[in-house]
């Protein structure tokens, strides 16, 4: 009888006086695809990182048994029994041989996992040189082969590029190429598709599925996206507050969940709770034939004398009324975020773009009144909030420009009222004003980012993928908060997203973008229930 590749027994992990993983046990066989599902903070990632002791300052107990398996030990006539090691008991020098070689990781955000100072080819080749002892030329050739294997177009040219020169999907493929460099037996994919749009998400999952079958490795997929689990995994484990509350065949568990927590995850689709826009509602933002372009350099010697233009948004027309949500949907590179930056006056545009009948001038003093009217909430609050500023400083920063008439007491009163409006109070978070962003969860940080925008009393919020980095239940909470604020304050939202479920929950009108062009726009029922564009139909089908 063949032993499992990985046997986890009564795994317990703690930091200082707090236990974050309590008594986790499971098996993972070679060739199996197992998903570990749960909300942010449930203990998913620390569980996987503990296998190879990548948790600094953690208390780890239990057993993590690794049974080395390769083609020779798996032959029916093999005479040598595979060796089983307890990874928890291994010393650092012994674990170095396991990390990357037998157990490899693909992390959520490749832009932070990849070194910005080295080309992607150099980074893949480095793994081959260090782990497999290849020479420089051989490693470089193998790196190009790996990049090609993961579906990166023009791998020879892309190998000489830096991470920032690749798209999000290409960066994730480069991360997968690095992870596969040593042909690991276990690939841990930690939220590998969370930051990607729906079509890229499907491509990465198909790639992982193909590579898993080709190399016969086991895959531990860590995710909060249940659609990803349905599409990819054989087995699923549901984790709540460090405990496995339910496990079994993926389709069985997700179709017929038994534990209340699993039921809550499965049923966490955001409901539609929007107020109809008044017929006489004034237009706050209007664009007609708006065009946004970037100067780019021509290839070859001609680039020294003449540049070209890349048109990121072309002939976009829309209007946004008071109390209305306009959802802008499309793949990465479709021009959504560029449109948002132009709407915020952070990028020059041609054509008509007006905020309450006024145009952006590009001059700070003249644009100041418009900047108060239009505020922004970004995708990742952890990177958009300064780690050096406490809550009071973060929320009050905009008032120095937009509410100079308020004295210290008036500012403090407005800060507390705004924080309470987004669900952050001193009662629940003692010492709230003196806390820093890292002391909050992902959903709480996004509430803080919303408060930072609301405190100057804007009329329009530009929401750039405000929930894509959040798990399903936290996403639901943030969307319900945005719906509540719109009802109470009459806010207008320019909502940039690739998630159709968010559009269904929030939008009055929808605009579909592809390659900088608006391919379809109209009322939400018209676009989602009777799409005319083939591209829109594909977007909807990928998330059905």
């Amino acid at each position: 009888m063949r032993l499992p590749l990985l046997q986890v027994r009564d795994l317990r992990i703690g930091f200082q006086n707090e236990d974050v993983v309590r008594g986790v046990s499971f098996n993972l066989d070679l060739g199996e695809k197992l998903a570990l599902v749960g909300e942010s903070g449930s203990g998913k990632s620390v569980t996987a990182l503990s296998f190879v002791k990548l948790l600094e300052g953690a208390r780890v107990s239990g057993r993590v048994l690794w049974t080395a398996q390769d083609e020779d030990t798996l032959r029916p006539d093999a005479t040598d029994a595979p060796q089983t090691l307890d990874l928890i008991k291994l010393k650092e020098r012994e674990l170095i041989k396991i990390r990357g070689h037998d157990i490899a990781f693909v992390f959520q955000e490749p832009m932070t996992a990849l070194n910005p100072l080295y080309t992607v080819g150099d980074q893949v080749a480095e793994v081959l040189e260090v782990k497999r002892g290849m020479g420089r030329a051989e490693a470089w050739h193998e790196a190009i082969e790996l990049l090609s294997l993961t579906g990166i177009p023009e791998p020879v040219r892309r190998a000489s590029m830096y991470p920032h020169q690749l798209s999000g999907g290409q960066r994730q493929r480069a991360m997968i190429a690095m992870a596969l460099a040593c042909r690991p037996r276990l690939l841990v994919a930690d939220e590998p598709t969370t930051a990607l749009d729906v079509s890229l998400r499907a491509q990465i999952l198909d790639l992982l599925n193909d590579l898993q079958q080709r190399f016969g490795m086991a895959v531990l997929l860590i995710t909060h996206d249940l659609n990803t689990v349905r599409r990819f995994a054989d087995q699923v484990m549901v984790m709540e507050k460090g405990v496995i509350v339910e496990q079994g065949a993926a389709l069985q568990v997700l179709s017929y969940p038994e534990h209340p927590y699993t039921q809550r995850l499965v049923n966490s689709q955001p409901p539609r709770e929007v107020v109809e826009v008044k017929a006489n509602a004034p237009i706050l933002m209007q664009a007609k034939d708006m065009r946004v372009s970037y100067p780019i350099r021509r290839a070859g010697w001609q680039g020294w004398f003449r540049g070209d233009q890349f048109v990121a948004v072309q002939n976009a027309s829309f209007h946004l009324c008071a109390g209305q949500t306009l959802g802008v949907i499309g793949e990465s590179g479709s021009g959504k975020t560029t449109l948002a930056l132009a709407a915020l006056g952070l990028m020059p545009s041609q054509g008509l773009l007006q905020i309450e009948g006024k145009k952006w001038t590009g001059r700070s003093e003249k644009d100041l009144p418009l900047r108060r009217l239009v505020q922004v909430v970004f995708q990742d609050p952890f990177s958009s909030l300064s780690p050096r500023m406490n809550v009071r400083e973060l929320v009050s920063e905009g008032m120095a420009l937009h509410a100079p008439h308020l004295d210290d007491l008036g500012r403090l009163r407005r800060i507390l009222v705004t924080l309470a409006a987004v669900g952050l109070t001193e009662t629940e978070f003692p010492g709230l004003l003196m806390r820093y962003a890292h002391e909050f969860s992902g959903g709480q940080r996004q509430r803080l980012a919303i408060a930072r925008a609301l405190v100057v009393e804007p009329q329009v919020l530009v929401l750039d993928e405000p929930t894509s980095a959040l798990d399903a239940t936290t996403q639901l909470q943030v969307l319900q908060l945005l719906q509540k604020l719109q009802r109470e304050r009459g806010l207008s939202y320019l909502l940039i997203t690739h998630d159709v479920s968010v559009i269904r929950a929030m939008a009055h009108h929808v605009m579909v973008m592809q390659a900088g062009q608006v391919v379809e726009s109209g009322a939400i029922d018209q676009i989602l229930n009777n799409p005319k564009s083939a591209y829109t139909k594909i977007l909807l089908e990928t998330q059905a």
Side-chain angles (χ1 to χ4, degrees):
M1 180 178 176
R2 194 174 80 193
L3 291 172
L5 180 70
L6 186 73
Q7 301 172 74
V8 178
R9 297 290 179 267
D10 195 29
L11 179 66
R12 297 175 182 272
I13 304 170
F15 294 91
Q16 296 179 348
N17 297 323
E18 183 180 3
D19 291 332
V20 296
V21 173
R22 302 190 299 278
V24 167
S25 299
F26 65 90
N27 292 338
L28 180 58
D29 291 322
L30 192 65
E32 185 179 13
K33 294 178 289 186
L34 172 65
L36 183 55
V37 178
E39 297 173 287
S40 297
S42 61
K44 307 186 303 295
S45 294
V46 295
T47 295
L49 292 171
S50 71
F51 298 165
V52 286
K53 294 186 181 179
L54 291 178
L55 296 174
E56 186 176 352
R59 292 180 285 102
V60 182
S61 64
R63 306 181 75 193
V64 178
L65 303 177
W66 173 260
T67 302
Q69 297 176 1
D70 54 30
E71 289 78 2
D72 292 333
T73 60
L74 295 178
R75 289 200 330 267
D77 59 342
T79 56
D80 294 334
Q83 183 183 14
T84 297
L85 303 171
D86 188 347
L87 300 181
I88 299 295
K89 295 180 179 178
L90 294 186
K91 296 179 180 179
E92 180 68 17
R93 56 183 172 78
E94 296 171 312
L95 279 170
I96 289 175
K97 300 175 183 177
I98 302 286
R99 294 175 188 149
H101 192 279
D102 292 311
I103 302 176
F105 286 77
V106 176
F107 295 105
Q108 175 176 353
E109 181 44 72
M111 198 62 180
T112 56
L114 292 169
N115 191 323
L117 301 179
Y118 293 90
T119 67
V120 293
D122 283 332
Q123 294 182 64
V124 178
E126 182 184 25
V127 177
L128 296 163
E129 292 177 56
V130 172
K131 292 290 186 180
R132 293 174 59 181
M134 290 186 179
R136 176 63 182 171
E138 183 185 7
W140 182 260
H141 177 77
E142 179 70 12
I144 292 172
E145 289 293 320
L146 285 165
L147 293 174
S148 176
L149 181 67
T150 58
I152 291 183
E154 302 179 88
V156 175
R157 185 168 72 89
R158 294 294 199 285
S160 298
M161 290 184 171
Y162 292 88
H164 73 274
Q165 296 175 299
L166 302 180
S167 69
Q170 289 169 352
R171 285 195 291 267
Q172 196 60 285
R173 289 172 188 270
M175 279 292 300
I176 293 171
M178 289 179 65
L180 294 178
C182 296
R183 301 291 191 267
R185 309 313 289 162
L186 171 59
L187 180 67
V188 179
D190 190 353
E191 300 281 11
T193 62
T194 298
L196 305 178
D197 63 53
V198 286
S199 58
L200 285 177
R201 192 174 300 180
Q203 292 172 23
I204 294 298
L205 287 177
D206 289 342
L207 172 64
L208 287 173
N209 192 57
D210 176 65
L211 295 172
Q212 183 269 335
Q213 293 179 12
R214 182 178 301 192
F215 297 124
M217 59 187 174
V219 177
L220 177 60
L221 174 68
I222 298 172
T223 184
H224 61 250
D225 187 342
L226 300 186
N227 288 327
T228 297
V229 176
R230 289 187 183 95
R231 180 169 184 149
F232 182 81
D234 303 318
Q235 301 286 316
V236 63
M237 297 187 302
V238 182
M239 178 175 270
E240 180 188 22
K241 296 179 180 178
V243 177
I244 302 297
V245 297
E246 190 167 357
Q247 58 184 311
L251 294 180
Q252 175 69 25
V253 170
L254 298 184
S255 300
Y256 307 101
E258 296 180 358
H259 193 276
Y261 178 73
T262 312
Q263 293 171 357
R264 196 170 87 231
L265 289 180
V266 171
N267 298 319
S268 60
Q269 286 295 320
R272 181 171 174 80
E273 297 178 2
V274 298
V275 177
E276 290 305 312
V277 180
K278 296 178 181 178
N280 61 348
I283 294 176
L284 298 181
M285 183 181 294
Q286 184 176 16
K288 186 174 181 181
D289 296 330
M290 187 178 75
R291 184 177 187 270
V292 183
S293 59
Y294 301 91
I296 58 173
R297 182 177 171 179
R298 283 190 174 189
W301 61 270
Q302 291 179 326
W304 292 97
F305 305 100
R306 185 178 176 185
D308 276 334
Q309 293 258 319
F310 172 72
V311 180
V313 176
Q314 188 166 359
N315 300 327
S317 298
F318 63 89
H319 68 270
L320 183 63
C321 296
Q324 184 184 43
T325 298
L326 172 63
V328 185
I329 190 168
E331 299 172 289
S332 295
S334 62
K336 306 187 305 295
T337 297
T338 300
L339 179 84
L341 292 173
L344 288 161
L346 299 176
M347 186 168 289
S349 62
Q350 296 80 47
L352 177 70
L353 175 62
Q354 293 182 332
I355 315 295
E356 286 196 333
K358 299 177 182 177
K359 296 181 179 180
W360 294 107
T361 66
R363 289 178 290 191
S364 299
E365 291 184 6
K366 202 162 186 178
D367 287 341
L368 191 60
L370 295 186
R371 297 226 175 272
R372 186 190 68 79
L373 295 177
V374 186
Q375 290 290 303
V376 62
V377 177
F378 292 106
Q379 175 178 357
D380 182 6
F382 199 65
S383 59
S384 63
L385 297 173
S386 172
R388 295 184 175 88
M389 300 172 73
N390 61 35
V391 168
R392 180 169 183 167
E393 293 167 335
L394 284 169
V395 178
S396 67
E397 187 178 22
M399 287 195 289
L401 282 176
H402 299 300
H405 60 281
L406 293 177
D407 58 17
D408 289 344
L409 184 59
R411 289 186 186 183
L412 178 59
R413 185 179 294 113
R414 186 184 287 189
I415 290 170
L416 292 174
V417 168
T418 305
L419 287 170
V422 300
L424 298 175
T425 63
E426 186 77 24
T427 303
E428 187 176 357
F429 301 96
L432 172 64
L433 296 182
M434 300 308 294
R435 292 192 180 200
Y436 290 83
H438 72 271
E439 298 179 72
F440 297 90
S441 68
Q444 291 161 357
R445 284 196 291 265
Q446 197 60 293
R447 289 172 184 269
L448 185 56
I450 294 170
R452 191 168 186 260
L454 286 180
V455 78
V456 298
E457 299 181 342
Q459 295 184 34
V460 178
L461 283 187
V462 177
L463 306 171
D464 190 359
E465 302 281 8
T467 61
S468 65
L470 306 176
D471 60 59
T473 52
T474 306
Q475 179 187 86
L476 175 61
Q477 294 166 11
V478 171
L479 290 179
Q480 288 177 329
L481 170 63
L482 291 169
Q483 291 167 341
K484 172 176 170 285
L485 292 170
Q486 187 172 54
R487 289 194 302 270
E488 294 176 351
R489 301 188 176 212
L491 292 168
S492 301
Y493 296 143
L494 181 61
L495 174 62
I496 312 296
T497 184
H498 60 251
D499 191 333
V500 173
S501 66
V502 174
I503 291 289
R504 289 187 192 278
M506 295 285 296
H508 296 90
H509 278 68
V510 183
M511 188 163 68
V512 183
M513 295 191 69
Q514 181 187 27
Q517 298 271 8
V518 177
V519 298
E520 194 167 0
S521 64
I524 182 169
D525 291 337
Q526 171 195 333
I527 300 299
L528 298 189
N529 298 332
N530 189 28
K532 293 181 173 59
S533 165
Y535 176 72
T536 307
K537 293 176 183 177
I538 292 172
L539 283 181
L540 297 177
E541 287 169 1
T542 55
Q543 297 190 58

